[in-house]
Every structure is written in structure tokens, then in C-alpha cells.
């Protein structure tokens, strides 16, 4: 357990509310694009955690070197830390715009001549053994719209391992992903961001790094330019 149960519950709840809040702004037309949603989601998660004033739990955002997203294939990093160790989470954001567009969220990447999403998954796989990685699909559909592939209130998340397997099982990785393929992926493997946070905090995903040198694991791989640190400085399970 990375955190005590009550701290994990707070982090899970904060993530779900942050995602719900920014989806409401996407529905209202306030959010411009994937990067805007991601930045606002990370900021909302930070504010949710800090505004609850939970003893020993706090969050802060910091900017890392620009351009590294191309190397690691993800949009943002969330670092979960206690006084002894930490875990690194990465996620790649996609806004498929299913209500207004058709097969528009993926493309052929010129440098690799294959699906851009597939290429991102390959780059993510280099750190999949140690980082907790998921794909996060945003939707502009109204709340409770009963779109089968998406939750009623937030985004649809898929663990990297499930997306990676599905991408390699496609008949032609040179072709972009279609909306139908995305819907099938979400139907089979969709989870909520709160479930993601819970699995990481309860040590069912990602490997812990000792200490508090949060940048060291990124040295060989690059890192998204925006990261959120969620730090718990209180007693841990098993400690007096």
C-alpha cells in the first residue's frame, strides 16, 4: 500500500471529481483541445486535493522539459509519493469527437509510416514495466447520455497493456485506428480514472522507486512537460 486506505480514498475521489469537472467544461465548449483538457484536469486534481485540507496530503504541479512527450508517448505524468517511495503514472490523452467527427482521432505518422497511436503505444512500452500507464479518452457527450463506450460522468481509461495488445492484434498497423476499433477497445477494457488511481495506490500497478528523486526515473526516457506531484507525508500502514 502506497498510502493508508483513507488517503487512497481521497485521491480516488479527487481524481473522479476533477475528471467530471473538466468534462463539464468540455461539454460546455470551454475546452479547446486534448492538451487543454489534460492541463485543466491536472490543475483541477491539484486543487481538489489541496482544497480538502487533508492532513499530510498535498499536491503541486511543476513543468518539466518541453518536447519529451515525443520520446515517451504520453501527455502528462502524475507522481504519487510517500515518505519512503514513489510511483510514476503516465497517460496519453485522446479526444475522438465521436459526436461530430468520423475516424479523425488517429493518423499515419510520417516518420514511422504507421498509426500514430500505435507508435505512441510502442514508445510507452519502453517504461511499461515500471511506470503505471493508461490511455485516457475524453468525450464531449452530455452527462448521462448513455453512450455505451463512455462512463456517465468522466473519461474512459484503458490500461496501456490492454491497448498495446489490441493495437498489435489489428490486421494492419499502418492504418489509423477507426472509431469502431476504439469502441471495441473501450467496450472490452474501459475503466474510470478513479479505478486507475486506486490500483496504483494499492500497488496493483506500477513499481515503487525508493526515496524522493522524482526526476531520476525519467532520465533515460524523457517525460511530459507537465507533471503533478501528489505527496503524503504522514504515517504509513504498519508504522506506529
Amino acid at each position: 500500500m502506497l498510502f493508508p486506505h483513507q488517503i487512497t480514498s481521497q485521491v480516488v475521489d479527487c481524481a473522479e471529481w476533477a475528471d467530471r469537472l473538466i468534462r463539464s467544461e468540455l461539454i460546455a465548449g470551454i475546452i479547446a483541445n486534448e492538451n487543454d483538457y489534460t492541463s485543466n484536469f491536472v490543475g483541477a486534481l491539484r486543487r481538489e486535493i489541496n482544497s480538502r485540507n487533508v492532513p499530510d496530503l498535498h499536491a503541486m504541479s511543476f513543468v518539466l522539459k518541453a518536447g519529451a512527450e515525443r520520446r515517451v508517448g504520453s501527455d502528462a505524468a502524475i507522481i504519487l509519493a510517500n515518505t519512503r517511495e514513489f510511483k510514476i503514472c503516465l497517460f496519453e490523452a485522446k479526444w475522438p469527437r465521436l459526436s461530430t467527427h468520423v475516424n479523425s482521432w488517429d493518423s499515419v505518422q510520417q516518420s514511422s509510416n504507421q498509426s500514430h497511436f500505435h507508435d505512441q503505444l510502442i514508445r510507452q512500452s519502453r517504461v511499461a514495466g515500471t511506470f503505471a500507464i493508461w490511455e485516457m479518452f475524453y468525450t464531449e457527450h452530455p452527462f448521462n447520455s448513455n453512450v455505451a463506450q463512455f462512463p456517465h460522468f468522466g473519461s474512459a481509461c484503458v490500461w496501456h497493456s490492454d491497448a498495446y495488445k489490441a493495437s498489435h492484434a489489428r490486421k494492419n498497423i499502418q492504418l489509423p485506428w477507426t472509431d469502431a476499433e476504439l469502441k471495441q477497445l473501450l467496450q472490452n477494457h474501459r475503466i474510470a480514472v478513479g479505478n486507475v488511481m486506486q490500483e496504483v495506490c494499492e500497488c496493483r500497478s506500477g513499481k515503487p522507486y525508493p526515496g524522493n528523486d522524482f526526476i531520476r526515473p525519467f532520465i533515460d526516457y524523457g517525460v511530459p512537460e507537465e507533471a503533478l506531484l501528489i505527496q503524503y507525508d504522514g504515517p504509513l500502514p504498519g508504522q506506529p
Side-chain angles (χ1 to χ4, degrees):
M1 298 283 288
L2 192 65
F3 304 141
H5 175 72
Q6 67 273 20
I7 299 299
T8 295
S9 296
Q10 290 284 352
V11 172
V12 168
D13 195 50
C14 286
E16 291 178 343
W17 274 107
D19 189 24
R20 179 170 177 167
L21 173 63
I22 307 308
R23 177 172 168 180
S24 73
E25 296 188 344
L26 182 64
I27 294 168
I30 300 171
I31 300 298
N33 50 43
E34 294 163 353
N35 290 340
D36 195 20
Y37 191 115
T38 299
S39 180
N40 277 277
F41 166 69
V42 170
L45 178 53
R46 183 191 71 245
R47 293 189 294 273
E48 278 285 335
I49 289 174
N50 291 334
S51 65
R52 296 190 182 197
N53 196 32
V54 177
D56 302 312
L57 181 66
H58 55 92
M60 62 174 290
S61 295
F62 53 95
V63 176
L64 301 166
K65 59 183 180 180
E69 186 273 338
R70 296 188 186 92
R71 294 177 57 197
V72 78
S74 62
D75 288 309
I78 298 175
I79 302 169
L80 300 166
N82 60 35
T83 55
R84 297 185 306 203
E85 58 190 10
F86 64 94
K87 287 187 173 183
I88 293 175
C89 306
L90 299 176
F91 67 91
E92 167 64 27
K94 297 294 181 186
W95 181 18
R97 296 174 172 85
L98 295 181
S99 68
T100 59
H101 292 63
V102 176
N103 299 331
S104 67
W105 62 276
D106 191 18
S107 60
V108 174
Q109 182 165 302
Q110 292 183 355
S111 60
S112 62
N113 197 34
Q114 63 186 8
S115 156
H116 178 60
F117 184 49
H118 182 80
D119 184 78
Q120 288 174 313
L121 292 170
I122 290 175
R123 282 179 278 144
Q124 292 173 14
S125 69
R126 299 167 188 165
V127 293
T130 53
F131 296 1
I133 309 174
W134 68 93
E135 322 306 321
M136 196 166 179
F137 296 92
Y138 304 144
T139 177
E140 72 286 352
H141 289 95
F143 292 148
N144 285 319
S145 58
N146 293 320
V147 178
Q149 293 79 24
F150 286 89
H152 290 308
F153 295 108
S155 301
C157 298
V158 176
W159 283 114
H160 162 79
S161 58
D162 293 322
Y164 184 83
K165 291 176 184 176
S167 192
H168 278 79
R170 299 173 67 233
K171 292 181 179 179
N172 192 338
I173 62 174
Q174 268 76 37
L175 296 178
W177 274 64
T178 66
D179 293 344
E181 289 174 315
L182 171 61
K183 290 177 180 179
Q184 188 65 48
L185 176 69
L186 298 182
Q187 181 176 320
N188 294 338
H189 301 292
R190 186 196 81 196
I191 56 176
V193 69
N195 300 127
V196 169
M197 290 288 99
Q198 185 160 1
E199 291 203 24
V200 177
C201 292
E202 294 181 350
C203 294
R204 295 195 296 273
S205 181
K207 293 184 179 180
Y209 289 87
N212 60 3
D213 186 356
F214 306 128
I215 302 301
R216 176 176 51 83
F218 292 112
I219 291 175
D220 294 331
Y221 305 104
V223 64
E225 62 181 276
E226 185 170 24
L228 176 69
L229 170 64
I230 300 174
Q231 177 88 46
Y232 173 66
D233 296 324
L236 300 171
Q239 289 184 338

